[in-house]
Amino acid sequence: WDTETESVVEIQEYFPRTVALRGKGSAEIRTDSDKNSEIFAENVAAITAGAQKLLGFHGSPNVVNAFDCFECNNTVYVVKEYIEGMFLSDFVDSCGGFLDEETAFSIMLPVLEGLEELHACGVVHGGITADSIVITADNEIKITDFSFLKKGRPYTTEDITLGLFKEYSPPERYRSKGVYGEYSDIYSAGAVFYKMLSGVKPLDALNRLNGDDIKNIAELVPDIAEHTAKAVMKALNISPDLRFKS
């Protein structure tokens, strides 16, 4: 309970389980190697900077509000509004594993509007998945669980252990010195849309980089509108330059 906002809040801790460790009885976080310690520190700084931008970003119906951000225990915490609802992944599962085009659009449009607002403020979400989108009890669509990856930052091969989301992560997360940007969120949103419409997880981008290609969604959903299929596949293009910019 937050006494200033007089509301229930959620506190998000940066704790990538692949590299972060916490000793028994201690709140302090350490990493499993010096190299990952440097990357961890850079990511803490990036999350802090991104969260600071989000603090002034209130009023959007499609984005969870953030109220505070602070560093403690060698990591960073973001205090945000608590949203009661269902993760998109659970909703899709409850509907049989996929959605009709109209329902999928009614969810995806608020997500894209929220991303457009974030990108206009210089915030890259960095972790759009079916588990970072919440459908509230009032049927509002909310983007949450930010990764706050730093726009324009080249990522080395060591970075990919920090915050990959398998089929939702764009190819630039796997490339040596790939550069992250708004177009990376677009790829992830396209992957969410693909899964919602087809019930099939998109092929992991790493496999696509190795020569395997993703099935066109029109093959999986024969009655899909042509413009919808083209939009989904453009968002999922391997090349950032050929995707929608935001």
Side-chain angles (χ1 to χ4, degrees):
W1 180 263
D2 183 72
T3 55
E4 289 189 13
T5 62
E6 296 188 343
S7 62
V8 177
V9 296
E10 178 182 344
I11 301 177
Q12 180 180 349
E13 177 188 58
Y14 178 55
F15 187 90
R17 297 184 183 278
T18 52
V19 298
L21 305 169
R22 178 177 275 134
K24 186 176 181 180
S26 173
E28 297 288 317
I29 290 176
R30 58 187 176 85
T31 56
D32 59 357
S33 71
D34 290 340
K35 182 178 287 187
N36 279 333
S37 181
E38 292 177 14
I39 297 168
F40 184 89
E42 290 178 9
N43 285 352
V44 166
I47 292 169
T48 301
Q52 290 292 342
K53 290 181 181 179
L54 198 61
L55 295 183
F57 187 79
H58 285 192
S60 170
N62 308 313
V63 180
V64 166
N65 290 320
F67 302 122
D68 197 7
C69 170
F70 59 93
E71 293 186 25
C72 186
N73 301 324
N74 296 327
T75 190
V76 59
Y77 298 85
V78 180
V79 182
K80 56 188 182 180
E81 66 175 315
Y82 174 74
I83 301 294
E84 280 198 54
M86 179 183 290
F87 287 119
L88 175 58
S89 58
D90 294 330
F91 176 73
V92 173
D93 286 345
S94 74
C95 295
F98 64 94
L99 305 177
D100 63 80
E101 193 170 336
E102 183 179 356
T103 303
F105 253 116
S106 71
I107 294 170
M108 208 65 227
L109 286 178
V111 172
L112 294 174
E113 289 169 0
L115 286 177
E116 185 177 27
E117 293 173 307
L118 289 169
H119 294 166
C121 295
V123 176
V124 176
H125 184 287
I128 290 291
T129 74
D131 289 319
S132 64
I133 298 165
V134 176
I135 303 173
T136 73
D138 297 325
N139 285 323
E140 293 181 319
I141 309 300
K142 295 277 189 179
I143 299 172
T144 185
D145 288 344
F146 290 76
S147 289
F148 295 115
L149 294 177
K150 187 176 180 181
K151 177 183 173 182
R153 180 188 186 278
Y155 279 78
T156 64
T157 53
E158 289 82 7
D159 285 310
I160 66 173
T161 62
L162 304 178
L164 274 175
F165 300 97
K166 292 190 177 180
E167 64 269 11
Y168 298 108
S169 287
E172 49 269 27
R173 286 306 306 277
Y174 295 93
R175 286 188 171 118
S176 176
K177 300 189 182 300
V179 177
Y180 218 77
E182 291 91 346
Y183 45 78
S184 305
D185 281 344
I186 295 302
Y187 183 97
S188 299
V192 171
F193 205 9
Y194 186 101
K195 173 66 167 61
M196 274 200 293
L197 289 165
S198 68
V200 177
K201 292 180 180 180
L203 190 67
D204 191 300
L206 180 59
N207 291 328
R208 298 184 66 194
L209 287 173
N210 290 333
D212 295 330
D213 205 3
I214 191 171
K215 267 194 173 183
N216 192 303
I217 194 168
E219 297 178 49
L220 301 172
V221 189
D223 60 346
I224 192 173
E226 183 179 357
H227 65 272
T228 302
K230 286 182 177 179
V232 171
M233 299 314 296
K234 181 173 181 177
L236 287 171
N237 200 293
I238 284 286
S239 172
D241 293 337
L242 298 179
R243 295 178 212 148
F244 300 103
K245 302 307 176 188
S246 180

